Amino acid sequence: MAVKLALPKGRLLDETSALLRRADFGLSGYSKQVRFYHLKCRRFPNLLARVFHERDIPIQVAVGNYDLGICGLDWVEELLAKYPTSAVVKVKDLSYGQAALYITASRLSGAATVRELGLKSGIIRIASEYPNLAESFALKSRWRRFSVFPLWGAAEVYPPESADLALIPVKTGEELSSYGLVKVSKVLEGGAFLIANAASQAGKDLAGVVASIDDGLLATEKTAPSVEVVEVGGDTLAEAGDDTVWLALPDGHQQSPTLSLLSRANIQVNDNLVNRRPTTNLDGVKIKIIRPQDMPLQVANGNFDLAVTGRDWLREHRYQFPSSPVKELLDLKLGKVKIVAVVSKDLAVADVDGLRQFSYESDVPFRVASEYVNIADKYARDNHLGPYRVIPTWGASEAFVPEDADLLIENTQTGRTIARHNLKIVDKLFESTACLIGSAHCVKGKGKRIESIITALKAVVEGG
Amino acid sequence: MKVQKCKGTRDLSPEEMARFRLIEGVFRDCCLKWGYGEVRTPTLEYLHLFTATGTLTPNMLGKVYSFLDWDGWSGERVVLRPDGTIPVARLYIENMGDGKIAKLFYVANVFIFEATGKETREKWQCGVELVGVNSPLADVELIKVVLEVLGRLGLGDAELRLSHIGLIRSLLHQLGLSSEQQTRIFDRILDGDREALTKIKPAQPELKEAFSQLLDLKGKSPEFLKDLAALFSQSLPQLKPHLDNFITIVDLLEELGCNYHIDLTSGKGFEYYTGVLFHLFWDGEEIGGGGRYDALIPLMGGGSIPASGFALYLDRLMNLVKPQSAAGSHRILLGSEPSKIGAVKESFRLARQLREAGYVVALNLGGEKLADFRWLVDVRKGPIFILTDQLKGKKFGLKTAGEVLRILGEEGGSKTSPA
């Protein structure tokens, strides 16, 4: 019987790849420029290896799609914090990729212990990529009232203005200091783990694969990250008034076109993007660089007044929260992508009618995988796709088809990536470009400055 | 695809609903007669209502059904009510919070995730909350109400176990543990870990003595409690007010002829309890419990208002009660030839008259089980009513509704007692 192994993209890729080389797996194409997510293994011809975003791996192993997986302990615990009965077994500590998760607060916030925070009467806002661990920590700390903002990333830049606390992985004290943060409490420490599905471990012969991974381990002591806080000179946070306009700009591939557009509108953003707080020539405006996925929620909560994000993420937000005050202020006509429905090339389905028929003829629930959970849910609902399940993914969705999902809702620019992964487009949902978003609940005193930014950008966009 | 209900949920059949309604009916009747008023709170509440007060243990809060509402972008979560008392306390503060006494009761479902599959995730409770009064008499009233309900359900022999959370808290306080440690042990006790207390080995000799004496305190004797109060009055004066309170309650129960057991280790409950705690068992299974929770309303910001209450677990009681069979004497199956519109009209008219007279009248739509009915009436054109008494094997041909009613009365006996 084939053994299925889920391998991580991202920060653990290099060391995991080296480990499997030492174990003589002979994996084809598991390297930084990973172009295909289905890998062949020379040593174990029956091994099906697939590459996922690290965060998806514990879930894929827990639901039994994969027998084994390699990922950070943080993501295993994030799953178990919410679903303690998940069928995940921690098989082996692989001793690399050590990281520690800390609840951190701004150095300027004053309250620095769990107990002090517990005495607060207001709402404690916690920003994190680890919402389940954050909630569980808040419950254990018996904080009276708290809100968790689930994030795609960049939690470190949220305190103190956009959140009171951030639960983040901390590598070095310098890094923490550069964001003006201090530790409040350690939540977790650990590195890469080999994990197994509980039923597979009991019923399948995994011994050969597990033993060879064990053989590949280096006999080195694991090095715990030293997280001594190092004081850096000068505060990175300047005072912001109540009427300061907060502008969120995107990281990733949308960043450079956005900055050049701003520059054409005579809005200068200095290139100190390292601590995600660039300065600008605009008076009374402050900028943070965050993930575009997180922007609509942040604008809805008034943590930011303006943000440059994609219409896809705005829609995703509005489908989840139909009465949200967030609205599109200006189409920036940048970074055009299509949001499409995608299936395996081998599936005899050509359009949405075909999808519907396929979903009804299936004995098992129809599976839709997507980073856009709410868009995917609405698409399946509106098109009456039989009994269906939406599988949230954190990227690399192509790896899910055909074994672990029937349909993807994906964005694509040219369609080339889709074709490379042996997939085809069966429906187009909508087109998405970058847009400027704001809130219908405009804070008094900010209106003029917001208006002038919109006007400046509008002139550039409409001037071509 | 197989059609199936959600994991951890339960359907109630007509027969089970009859048990449910029997319990609910007895419970409502008792409460109303003791002067309590019925309330109903929403199924959805804000999660912070339950986190704000430290009123549920983190273990319980880890199992609630909470989610973001359609307008929950602020991260404010709502929750399917995991507990009956806190929403009623919220209702009191919001609508009646003037410090006055309120005697309230409710029948409500609560939702807590359950992983083992042995129990349902949606549970029904009959609850009573007595707000605005702190006295041993109030505690005893609640115990009398709950015993009366059980008595009327034929469960008068239920075992009543008494503990005292104030006493446990005070004991833990004496151990010199940090407040975090105290909280952790206390949470384990409340989550039902009976060993949490017995495992503690105090270093101080006088505490050790007090501990073993109190933990061994099982059985029925206010005298024993009084001896202990005398014993500790010098060494552990902090325990005295709690012991005195406990003794007064137990004395009153004794006077009223209640059966009870004292068992300090049976502490399963909610963190908001502060005084006497009671649990009810039938054949070793817990069927209800309650106690005094003077700290809850102050913690919720409602001012210093004492309160106590109890809940009976409907799902468990349903397995123990036997409703009197409704089948039999007063069920009538009424049929007519569907094609004869005159007969159909006549049958509807007769059915109404019989129902007004207190009979259960089902129309024969085809496929009914005849054995479920004592009487069959066949309506023919004319009209002629053919009345069959299946019990006695008699048949009557009758011309008016009045005649049908007369025969039913003569042959079937009174409608309030089965024939």
Side-chain angles (χ1 to χ4, degrees):
Chain A
M1 212 189 312
V3 172
K4 295 177 75 183
L5 171 66
L7 295 173
K9 280 176 78 170
R11 70 174 186 109
L12 294 179
L13 190 146
D14 280 347
E15 281 172 290
T16 307
S17 173
L19 165 68
L20 298 179
R21 255 198 317 279
R22 288 193 301 273
D24 195 27
F25 266 48
L27 280 181
S28 56
Y30 185 46
S31 60
K32 251 218 163 59
Q33 257 57 51
V34 56
R35 284 169 58 79
F36 298 99
Y37 296 139
H38 299 48
L39 308 179
K40 292 215 165 58
C41 173
R42 181 174 35 73
R43 179 166 176 187
F44 301 102
N46 267 342
L47 183 79
L48 280 174
R50 195 122 324 161
V51 184
F52 289 97
H53 190 288
E54 198 188 336
R55 191 171 181 173
D56 288 322
I57 291 176
I59 303 165
Q60 288 299 309
V61 171
V63 300
N65 287 345
Y66 288 79
D67 305 308
L68 293 168
I70 292 176
C71 64
L73 181 68
D74 47 351
W75 296 118
V76 181
E77 295 299 337
E78 168 68 6
L79 175 71
L80 292 174
K82 177 98 185 184
Y83 306 105
T85 52
S86 300
V88 177
V89 186
K90 286 172 247 173
V91 178
K92 182 104 202 136
D93 184 346
L94 302 177
S95 302
Y96 58 83
Q98 295 297 310
L101 293 187
Y102 279 90
I103 288 275
T104 61
S106 163
R107 194 166 32 186
L108 306 178
S109 66
T113 68
V114 171
R115 184 180 275 273
E116 279 165 21
L117 286 159
L119 299 172
K120 270 188 65 157
S121 58
I123 301 174
I124 303 174
R125 301 166 302 163
I126 315 164
S128 185
E129 282 180 73
Y130 305 88
N132 302 338
L133 286 171
E135 180 172 346
S136 150
F137 185 82
L139 287 177
K140 279 196 198 117
S141 306
R142 300 178 162 260
W143 289 339
R144 289 161 171 253
R145 199 163 168 186
F146 58 89
S147 277
V148 175
F149 295 142
L151 296 181
W152 284 73
E156 60 275 14
V157 74
Y158 282 70
E161 305 90 353
S162 331
D164 302 298
L165 302 171
L167 172 60
I168 51 170
V170 177
K171 285 185 222 85
T172 64
E174 286 90 342
E175 189 193 9
L176 204 58
S177 292
S178 76
Y179 288 108
L181 298 176
V182 291
K183 295 181 290 182
V184 175
S185 184
K186 180 150 79 180
V187 174
L188 186 75
E189 188 171 330
F193 260 78
L194 176 66
I195 57 172
N197 174 271
S200 304
Q201 201 187 33
K204 257 180 156 176
D205 184 12
L206 309 175
V209 177
V210 172
S212 67
I213 290 176
D214 204 18
D215 290 344
L217 284 179
L218 294 174
T220 50
E221 283 294 298
K222 65 179 162 187
T223 46
S226 94
V227 191
E228 289 314 309
V229 174
V230 181
E231 289 296 329
V232 288
D235 268 327
T236 48
L237 307 171
E239 276 298 303
D242 284 346
D243 59 351
T244 302
V245 170
W246 284 95
L247 170 65
L249 296 181
D251 58 8
H253 64 271
Q254 278 193 19
Q255 188 174 78
S256 146
T258 303
L259 292 184
S260 100
L261 182 84
L262 288 170
S263 151
R264 276 184 282 142
N266 290 323
I267 300 171
Q268 306 303 328
V269 178
N270 83 345
D271 55 1
N272 173 25
L273 304 177
V274 181
N275 68 5
R276 293 179 173 267
R277 286 171 182 266
T279 52
T280 169
N281 60 335
L282 291 181
D283 218 25
V285 176
K286 290 201 172 294
I287 298 177
K288 287 188 191 184
I289 306 279
I290 61 174
R291 304 294 292 273
Q293 295 95 321
D294 297 325
M295 289 177 183
L297 188 73
Q298 292 303 316
V299 172
N301 281 296
N303 293 335
F304 291 87
D305 303 294
L306 293 172
V308 175
T309 184
R311 191 178 291 133
D312 47 353
W313 293 112
L314 176 59
R315 240 187 231 214
E316 169 70 8
H317 169 76
R318 297 210 51 119
Y319 285 170
Q320 186 178 9
F321 303 116
S323 55
S324 165
V326 181
K327 56 180 184 180
E328 180 179 324
L329 301 173
L330 183 65
D331 181 358
L332 300 179
K333 300 184 174 144
L334 294 173
K336 186 151 101 183
V337 290
K338 284 178 292 195
I339 311 302
V340 290
V342 171
V343 297
S344 162
K345 238 180 217 162
D346 305 327
L347 196 68
V349 164
D351 52 20
V352 66
D353 290 330
L355 278 178
R356 196 175 305 124
Q357 198 180 347
F358 176 83
S359 72
Y360 275 99
E361 284 167 359
S362 171
D363 293 335
V364 290
F366 187 72
R367 300 159 304 170
V368 190
S370 185
E371 290 179 58
Y372 307 108
V373 176
N374 296 292
I375 292 173
D377 189 29
K378 188 171 189 304
Y379 182 78
R381 204 167 60 227
D382 288 355
N383 288 298
H384 307 289
L385 297 184
Y388 67 89
R389 284 181 194 172
V390 175
I391 305 165
T393 73
W394 300 92
S397 310
E398 295 89 351
F400 284 76
V401 178
E403 291 91 347
D404 310 317
D406 305 300
L407 177 72
L408 302 180
I409 303 296
E410 276 273 272
N411 66 57
T412 181
Q413 223 164 353
T414 60
R416 277 201 289 274
T417 313
I418 287 172
R420 190 173 73 225
H421 288 286
N422 197 37
L423 304 170
K424 65 179 177 189
I425 296 172
V426 289
D427 199 6
K428 187 176 126 184
L429 281 69
F430 60 92
E431 266 182 7
S432 173
T433 47
C435 58
L436 184 71
I437 61 169
S439 171
H441 306 149
C442 184
V443 180
K444 231 179 148 187
K446 295 185 179 187
K448 247 190 187 148
R449 252 171 275 155
I450 291 176
E451 207 50 55
S452 74
I453 294 174
I454 299 172
T455 313
L457 286 172
K458 203 170 181 174
V460 176
V461 172
E462 286 174 1
Chain B
M1 287 289 297
K2 215 165 97 188
V3 173
Q4 53 190 356
K5 64 178 185 292
C6 260
K7 228 182 269 175
T9 60
R10 172 181 189 186
D11 292 318
L12 297 179
S13 64
E15 194 274 328
E16 286 164 325
M17 275 312 293
R19 294 162 184 262
F20 185 103
R21 292 296 188 205
L22 169 72
I23 298 160
E24 187 184 43
V26 165
F27 171 74
R28 289 187 73 244
D29 190 56
C30 283
C31 290
L32 289 169
K33 285 185 174 146
W34 279 81
Y36 287 72
E38 185 166 14
V39 290
R40 181 161 286 178
T41 61
T43 308
L44 284 181
E45 295 274 4
Y46 287 120
L47 177 62
H48 71 77
L49 188 64
F50 300 88
T51 56
T53 46
T55 42
L56 299 185
T57 65
N59 180 40
M60 279 196 76
L61 284 169
K63 295 180 184 170
V64 301
Y65 286 86
S66 76
F67 54 93
L68 294 175
D69 205 345
W70 289 105
D71 58 359
W73 61 81
S74 67
E76 175 87 77
R77 295 180 88 80
V78 291
V79 62
L80 298 183
R81 161 180 64 214
D83 166 77
T85 296
I86 293 171
V88 173
R90 199 255 317 128
L91 173 144
Y92 176 87
I93 295 168
E94 209 173 325
N95 304 301
M96 315 168 176
D98 46 11
K100 284 193 195 122
I101 187 166
K103 299 183 173 183
L104 307 172
F105 75 92
Y106 58 87
V107 178
N109 47 357
V110 296
F111 301 83
I112 282 280
F113 179 72
E114 204 276 339
T116 65
K118 285 184 197 143
E119 292 195 45
T120 53
R121 297 169 187 177
E122 176 185 12
K123 295 183 176 69
W124 284 87
Q125 294 187 346
C126 296
V128 166
E129 315 296 346
L130 176 45
V131 186
V133 53
N134 173 6
S135 70
L137 188 59
D139 295 331
V140 170
E141 166 167 320
L142 285 176
I143 293 174
K144 288 299 284 180
V145 174
V146 77
L147 292 177
E148 185 177 311
V149 174
L150 291 174
R152 282 182 53 188
L153 291 170
L155 304 169
D157 292 335
E159 186 196 346
L160 173 65
R161 284 187 206 160
L162 299 175
S163 177
H164 199 289
I165 290 286
L167 197 53
I168 294 176
R169 271 190 210 271
S170 185
L171 257 179
L172 287 176
H173 192 68
Q174 303 305 313
L175 290 171
L177 304 169
S178 70
S179 67
E180 277 91 18
Q181 281 171 312
Q182 282 182 45
T183 308
R184 215 172 313 129
I185 294 174
F186 194 58
D187 284 350
R188 281 178 47 203
I189 297 167
L190 293 174
D191 282 334
D193 181 353
R194 291 175 69 93
E195 290 187 346
L197 264 182
T198 51
K199 267 195 213 138
I200 299 170
K201 301 275 178 277
Q204 306 94 309
E206 74 273 17
L207 268 177
K208 200 169 181 176
E209 179 64 17
F211 231 76
S212 65
Q213 298 247 22
L214 279 168
L215 295 184
D216 289 344
L217 193 62
K218 289 188 181 126
K220 180 198 171 181
S221 166
E223 302 314 317
F224 197 47
L225 277 176
K226 285 175 194 164
D227 290 348
L228 281 179
L231 190 64
F232 300 142
S233 64
Q234 295 299 313
S235 55
L236 293 166
Q238 300 86 344
L239 299 188
K240 190 172 184 315
H242 303 292
L243 272 168
D244 286 349
N245 174 266
F246 204 7
I247 289 166
T248 314
I249 291 166
V250 170
D251 265 343
L252 258 168
L253 288 174
E254 192 80 5
E255 287 296 322
L256 295 168
C258 289
N259 279 316
Y260 61 86
H261 286 93
I262 294 169
D263 180 359
L264 214 56
T265 59
S266 106
K268 187 167 170 36
F270 296 104
E271 219 173 301
Y272 45 72
Y273 287 136
T274 51
V276 70
L277 182 70
F278 58 91
H279 293 276
L280 292 143
F281 289 85
W282 186 266
D283 260 354
E285 187 185 49
E286 196 179 342
I287 52 173
R292 173 150 294 283
Y293 55 89
D294 290 344
L296 178 65
I297 293 175
L299 274 167
M300 292 172 73
S304 80
I305 294 167
S308 53
F310 72 79
L312 282 169
Y313 310 141
L314 245 165
D315 304 83
R316 294 187 183 167
L317 290 177
M318 276 169 65
N319 300 325
L320 305 176
V321 298
K322 287 176 206 72
Q324 285 181 345
S325 166
S329 58
H330 302 299
R331 290 172 63 85
I332 300 168
L333 184 66
L334 202 145
S336 62
E337 184 111 25
S339 59
K340 304 271 184 336
I341 192 68
V344 170
K345 241 170 102 177
E346 210 47 62
S347 70
F348 271 86
R349 188 177 300 151
L350 175 66
R352 200 187 70 216
Q353 282 170 295
L354 293 175
R355 288 192 192 108
E356 278 167 2
Y359 292 95
V360 175
V361 186
L363 294 184
N364 192 348
L365 306 173
E368 273 82 1
K369 233 163 73 192
L370 297 188
D372 288 347
F373 301 88
R374 174 170 169 189
W375 306 95
L376 307 177
V377 180
D378 192 13
V379 183
R380 307 245 174 100
K381 232 179 107 187
I384 297 171
F385 306 113
I386 314 290
L387 175 66
T388 309
D389 180 347
Q390 297 205 101
L391 185 70
K392 296 184 181 164
K394 287 187 186 171
K395 221 169 212 185
F396 307 86
L398 306 165
K399 286 200 167 144
T400 65
E403 283 177 52
V404 175
L405 277 167
R406 182 175 55 80
I407 299 290
L408 286 171
E410 284 172 12
E411 298 288 320
S414 103
K415 282 181 295 294
T416 47
S417 68

